[in-house]
Amino acid sequence: MGSESKMVHSPMITYASMLSLLSLCPPFVILLWYTMVHADGSVLQTWDYLRQHGVQGFINFWPKPTATAWKIIACYGAFEAALQLLLPGKRVEGPISPTGNRPVYKANGVLAYAVTLITYLGLWWFGIFNPTIVYDHLGEIFSALIFGSLVFCVFLYIKGLVAPSSTDSGSSGNIIIDFYWGMELYPRIGKNFDIKVFTNCRFGMMSWAVLAVTYCIKQYETYGTVSDSMLVNTILMLVYVTKFFWWEAGYWSTMDIAHDRAGFYICWGCLVWVPSVYTSPGMYLVNHPVTLGVQLALYILVAGVLCIYINYDCDRQRQEFRRTNGKGLVWGKAPSKIVASYTTTTGETKSSILLTSGWWGLARHFHYVPEILAAFFWTLPALFNHFLPYFYVVFLTILLLDRAKRDDDRCKSKYGKYWKLYCEKVPYRVVPGIY
């Protein structure tokens, strides 16, 4: 796995995008938080402030990581790590890696998710810990996460150099690429603690649910009530995260885990970008309760749940197809498929089956459409006074279109002529009839 296989775009664009993401994402997280919480969600207001005060103004409102912030992060991280290690779960095998390793996981995500939310709500209910503290220290927490996660990525880089967990590791010969994309595919601490499962699922995705609940509680404690817009937003986000943990073992076969190494791109993204950017529509709604009315609220809720269900059903359909080796029914009929053979890095010839009917007959990455629409529907309760709550929807669209391209390029080099055949059968990449 040299750097060439990592670079979808030209080296120049790759370096430019890496360096810009490394330098721009951290300050953006703080700008987003500041605008949502202190500037009324208005980009113009933040822009005016920065125009008057310049860089010094930005430094002034960048919160310093406080002891409270570090304590909250440490308790949360330790709690999730303990649940990941200690809760019982079914043994699940991941896909075979390029060098022939097959990672083994313990699938206890749903249980960890339930224990986390019940514990968090219980602490609030019995007056032991008030989640509004998390909201009140949010800027400091994001700031601590930004720096702490950078240090963590340096640790991952050094670990990949000195003590890789498996043969699925190695350097591209370029320190920036190695830091950005990561050195190891499956880094572990000891035999059982999988770092990517922790960063992506148990810290990142779990924090999405925890923060969604936090925003809801903050609004309740501030106004004495929870607006219907906040309820719709929180319910849809929680349904989505619940779906994620329900399907977590399937996620372990996706690009994030099985192809992208553990570096800044994935790990910093899950530790910082997910809690800050993915939850931002709810962050905005805390101080901007919108009254939708029962009818509109229900329409948005039903549309959102439907999109999340279709997204889940796409993944379920493909998983079922692989599990039955293409023998199960898809939409009540025998599936149409392409049997593709490919050669591994060790020179073995293996075969895969590619599904060309059901949801997967509509477009090669059709499952991204309901995912983007779901994000739109849980942001919609904020209505259209400000653009910023919709940043996540725009970001997700760009991310998934780029991922679709990267995935297509990877499959093209893996399957060759069979992929060409597949593209003839399923001509559209993401949106049927358009793209």
Side-chain angles (χ1 to χ4, degrees):
M1 285 287 273
S3 59
E4 293 74 30
S5 62
K6 288 287 188 192
M7 288 195 191
V8 175
H9 313 291
S10 73
M12 194 63 208
I13 294 174
T14 306
Y15 286 128
S17 62
M18 277 184 206
L19 291 170
S20 58
L21 285 173
L22 284 164
S23 55
L24 297 178
C25 289
F28 180 81
V29 167
I30 299 299
L31 277 171
L32 181 76
W33 160 80
Y34 175 81
T35 309
M36 291 297 198
V37 175
H38 295 292
D40 222 24
S42 163
V43 176
L44 286 175
Q45 205 174 310
T46 303
W47 175 246
D48 281 343
Y49 173 85
L50 289 173
R51 220 178 44 205
Q52 286 163 19
H53 300 88
V55 177
Q56 192 52 48
F58 181 55
I59 293 166
N60 290 349
F61 71 60
W62 187 308
K64 306 286 174 283
T66 56
T68 308
W70 286 117
K71 254 184 250 172
I72 290 169
I73 293 167
C75 290
Y76 169 69
F79 184 71
E80 290 307 328
L83 295 184
Q84 185 179 329
L85 275 172
L86 303 174
L87 289 177
K90 207 170 75 184
R91 183 181 183 275
V92 173
E93 292 187 341
I96 294 176
S97 73
T99 60
N101 297 316
R102 194 184 267 281
V104 176
Y105 303 101
K106 184 162 64 166
N108 55 12
V110 174
L111 201 52
Y113 178 62
V115 171
T116 300
L117 287 187
I118 290 164
T119 306
Y120 197 57
L121 288 167
L123 290 172
W124 174 57
W125 188 255
F126 293 111
I128 300 163
F129 175 80
N130 193 333
T132 57
I133 295 168
V134 174
Y135 179 84
D136 296 339
H137 292 273
L138 204 53
E140 298 148 38
I141 290 170
F142 289 158
S143 187
L145 279 176
I146 285 168
F147 297 116
S149 302
L150 274 174
V151 172
F152 181 73
C153 291
V154 172
F155 156 76
L156 284 179
Y157 172 75
I158 295 168
K159 183 190 173 306
L161 273 180
V162 182
S165 302
S166 75
T167 50
D168 289 293
S169 62
S171 171
S172 66
N174 182 303
I175 189 166
I176 299 171
I177 292 178
D178 289 345
F179 179 75
Y180 183 83
W181 279 120
M183 297 281 285
E184 294 189 75
L185 188 59
Y186 297 119
R188 295 196 164 193
I189 295 172
K191 194 165 142 279
N192 298 322
F193 190 75
D194 190 284
I195 290 177
K196 260 162 77 182
V197 170
F198 177 73
T199 56
N200 297 27
C201 309
R202 306 312 170 77
F203 196 100
M205 290 301 290
M206 200 73 81
S207 67
W208 192 347
V210 169
L211 286 173
V213 170
T214 303
Y215 299 153
C216 217
I217 291 170
K218 176 67 184 178
Q219 194 186 68
Y220 174 74
E221 301 237 330
T222 308
Y223 297 96
T225 176
V226 178
S227 64
D228 53 7
S229 52
M230 183 59 114
L231 271 179
V232 171
N233 168 268
T234 310
I235 290 168
L236 284 179
M237 288 217 224
L238 287 179
V239 168
Y240 181 80
V241 179
T242 306
K243 181 232 37 153
F244 174 85
F245 282 108
W246 183 257
W247 176 76
E248 190 186 44
Y251 172 69
W252 295 334
S253 302
T254 64
M255 199 163 180
D256 284 2
I257 299 286
H259 302 289
D260 288 339
R261 292 180 174 198
F264 177 87
Y265 173 74
I266 280 284
C267 295
W268 191 92
C270 290
L271 294 171
V272 186
W273 199 251
V274 171
S276 57
V277 175
Y278 288 30
T279 68
S280 57
M283 200 195 304
Y284 170 80
L285 283 168
V286 172
N287 299 320
H288 304 86
V290 178
T291 305
L292 299 169
V294 176
Q295 198 176 7
L296 183 56
L298 279 175
Y299 282 154
I300 296 172
L301 189 65
V302 170
V305 169
L306 186 66
C307 288
I308 295 167
Y309 172 74
I310 293 171
N311 177 247
Y312 163 76
D313 197 52
C314 290
D315 289 323
R316 184 203 58 79
Q317 205 172 69
R318 183 169 59 179
Q319 233 175 339
E320 207 44 32
F321 170 74
R322 284 177 181 161
R323 193 184 64 78
T324 59
N325 206 14
K327 296 192 173 56
L329 298 179
V330 170
W331 288 354
K333 294 201 290 266
S336 77
K337 60 180 184 277
I338 289 171
V339 180
S341 67
Y342 64 96
T343 312
T344 64
T345 47
T346 52
E348 283 177 86
T349 303
K350 301 204 164 180
S351 68
S352 281
I353 43 173
L354 308 173
L355 176 58
T356 58
S357 58
W359 297 115
W360 300 90
L362 300 177
R364 302 194 290 276
H365 304 276
F366 175 75
H367 59 312
Y368 291 158
V369 175
E371 188 161 343
I372 292 165
L373 284 173
F376 172 74
F377 285 121
W378 70 59
T379 310
L380 195 56
L383 298 182
F384 298 103
N385 292 338
H386 291 293
F387 157 75
L388 203 56
Y390 291 87
F391 173 77
Y392 171 63
V393 184
V394 175
F395 162 76
L396 184 71
T397 306
I398 296 165
L399 175 83
L400 294 181
L401 292 181
D402 177 65
R403 183 172 294 181
K405 183 184 180 329
R406 286 199 299 133
D407 207 24
D408 269 16
D409 289 348
R410 198 177 51 75
C411 291
K412 192 171 153 189
S413 65
K414 181 177 176 180
Y415 297 120
K417 60 179 183 185
Y418 299 104
W419 186 251
K420 198 165 169 250
L421 201 64
Y422 177 59
C423 292
E424 280 165 17
K425 254 191 154 177
V426 186
Y428 295 103
R429 190 179 278 169
V430 182
V431 186
I434 299 170
Y435 173 68

